[in-house]
Amino acid sequence: GIGVLPLAKMLPMTLGANIGTTATALIASIAAFTHDAVHIALCHLFFNIIGILIWFPVPIMRRLPLGAARLLGLYASHYRAFPAVYVLIAFVAVPGVLLGVSAIFDASVAGGVVVALILLAALIGFEFWWLRLGGCYKVLSEEARRERQEALEAADAELAETDQAAQTAV
């Protein structure tokens, strides 16, 4: 990181920003005042509120999104194109594949089940390769991971000292 804000303090800000965007959508839907617009805006609001209730109140649950953010930051610091690839996969490829599976289900339930099971097996195989067979270390070596992690921890410690000194001065 650049040492501006520790990752653990960034999570509540991000969750608050998500609620802020839903509030904006809710206000816009009330201005349009159609049943469907208000319905979708309320779904968006409650989806984000439920997500916050799942991920934020319990400290052990916070570790998953924070760990994912650290991992994404680690890869982004090493591979410059990684954020663009991640956005394309997470917001274009995965929804496109799931939309395709949904269309297959509409055409044939049996075909949809077969395709869904194949995709599930592929996902399980990838996770097994990534976690158990060391696939993650083929993408970024353990030494490079350790270096980047130490740099991040040093930046976080320096930021914490600066923050603590500023609070003491006040």
Side-chain angles (χ1 to χ4, degrees), residues 97 100-102 104-105 108-122:
V97 167
V101 170
S102 173
I104 293 171
F105 266 106
S108 166
V109 174
V113 169
V114 169
V115 171
L117 288 175
I118 290 170
L119 288 173
L120 184 62

Side-chain angles (χ1 to χ4, degrees), residues 2 32 38 68 75 82 86 112 115 118 127 129 149 151 161:
I2 60 172
V38 174
Y75 286 129
F82 184 77
Y86 170 75
V115 171
I118 290 170
E127 288 294 323
W129 172 78
Q149 186 63 33
E161 289 173 10

Side-chain angles (χ1 to χ4, degrees), residues 4-143:
V4 175
L5 190 65
L7 190 58
K9 288 184 179 181
M10 193 62 204
L11 179 62
M13 292 178 66
T14 304
L15 296 175
N18 280 342
I19 294 297
T21 61
T22 62
T24 304
L26 189 58
I27 292 168
S29 74
I30 292 171
F33 207 67
T34 63
H35 176 9
D36 290 342
V38 174
H39 187 115
I40 294 298
L42 286 172
C43 286
H44 188 201
L45 174 68
F46 287 119
F47 178 82
N48 281 334
I49 288 173
I50 290 169
I52 288 172
L53 292 175
I54 290 170
W55 296 110
F56 191 69
V58 183
I60 197 165
M61 292 297 288
R62 274 184 239 156
R63 291 193 331 208
L64 184 66
L66 290 173
R70 277 188 198 93
L71 184 64
L72 289 172
L74 177 73
Y75 286 129
S77 70
H78 196 65
Y79 298 110
R80 292 299 210 192
F82 184 77
V85 170
Y86 170 75
V87 166
L88 286 173
I89 290 172
F91 298 107
V92 177
V94 170
V97 167
L98 294 177
L99 189 60
V101 170
S102 173
I104 293 171
F105 266 106
D106 285 343
S108 166
V109 174
V113 169
V114 169
V115 171
L117 288 175
I118 290 170
L119 288 173
L120 184 62
L123 179 65
I124 290 170
F126 175 78
E127 288 294 323
F128 182 77
W129 172 78
W130 187 261
L131 298 173
R132 300 286 183 213
L133 299 179
C136 60
Y137 297 117
K138 291 179 175 64
V139 175
L140 189 61
S141 71
E142 194 166 356
E143 297 82 32

